[in-house]
Amino acid sequence: MPLGALRGTKVALRARHEDDIPILRAELYDDVVNSSRADGRPWRPISSSSKDPRLVVDDTEQGHVPFSVVELDGGTLVGTATLWGIDNHNRCAHIGLGLLPSCRGKGYGTDVVGVLCHYGFVVRGLQRLQIETLSDNAAMLRSAERNGFVREGVLRSSAWVMGEFLDEVLLGLLVQDWKKDSKV
């Protein structure tokens, strides 16, 4: 694993590499349904030369830290993870992740959330982390709750996804409630 990677029990978070971009574009962002469910903006095609911030890292953007997620065994790319909306004054941020379709259901999401918590609370010194996810995203809800996140509310019909409004669940975790070993 390269220097600069944050390690979990199954995955590591590292800087985005140029050769990650075509894989992420093809397997995450070119999938209209998946992309529509993962992003609050309407789907649009991304050209191969695009500098779209969901793919290409802008190192000058301090409020958004994207990672590539790789397996510890072998370093295979399995998805993306992001700490976004970082507010240094209020010491809070949001967590997001996306796993390649072939990598779902293997426990990587729980590990990614745990590593992002470590990054947010230990490395960045944040007080609060927050997740917003669609109410039918059982995998993300499970990953968040296994890491100690608490459901704080439901945002009714707040997400327009593929022709219908869906509810979103708001989850939060405070540093004093975080347990480094809360992953299951």
Side-chain angles (χ1 to χ4, degrees):
M1 200 50 45
L3 293 173
L6 299 167
R7 296 170 185 262
T9 58
K10 296 181 177 193
V11 299
L13 309 186
R14 63 154 169 78
R16 179 80 32 88
H17 294 171
E18 193 67 34
D19 56 346
D20 296 344
I21 293 172
I23 297 166
L24 296 174
R25 180 182 298 110
E27 294 200 37
L28 289 180
Y29 303 114
D30 284 349
D31 177 340
V32 177
V33 174
N34 178 70
S35 188
S36 295
R37 291 180 55 81
D39 195 340
R41 299 170 289 187
W43 180 85
R44 61 182 180 80
I46 301 171
S47 72
S48 61
S49 62
S50 173
K51 300 298 180 195
D52 189 291
R54 293 173 295 173
L55 294 170
V56 179
V57 176
D58 177 359
D59 288 324
T60 65
E61 173 54 55
Q62 296 299 307
H64 179 219
V65 182
F67 296 95
S68 286
V69 180
V70 295
E71 289 178 317
L72 281 180
D73 295 334
T76 302
L77 180 69
V78 298
T80 66
T82 308
L83 200 68
W84 61 276
I86 300 170
D87 179 339
N88 290 318
H89 176 71
N90 293 302
R91 295 179 46 207
C92 61
H94 303 260
I95 284 179
L97 68 98
L99 296 175
L100 303 180
S102 64
C103 300
R104 296 175 188 156
K106 298 180 179 183
Y108 294 149
T110 298
D111 203 30
V112 170
V113 172
V115 178
L116 283 171
C117 288
H118 174 83
Y119 179 72
F121 292 139
V122 176
V123 177
R124 300 294 297 241
L126 299 176
Q127 163 66 19
R128 174 185 168 81
L129 293 174
Q130 185 169 306
I131 296 173
E132 300 86 6
T133 190
L134 297 175
S135 62
D136 65 354
N137 188 347
M140 185 59 173
L141 292 167
R142 190 172 43 254
S143 294
E145 290 171 340
R146 285 181 175 168
N147 279 283
F149 281 81
V150 175
R151 293 184 194 213
E152 296 179 334
V154 174
L155 306 171
R156 297 178 306 142
S157 294
S158 63
W160 178 253
V161 179
M162 299 300 295
E164 65 179 323
F165 282 105
L166 300 177
D167 294 348
E168 288 182 287
V169 176
L170 174 68
L171 303 107
L173 179 61
L174 303 178
V175 68
Q176 64 264 27
D177 298 330
W178 177 59
K179 296 172 183 64
K180 291 182 186 180
D181 299 323
S182 63
K183 296 182 295 245
V184 176

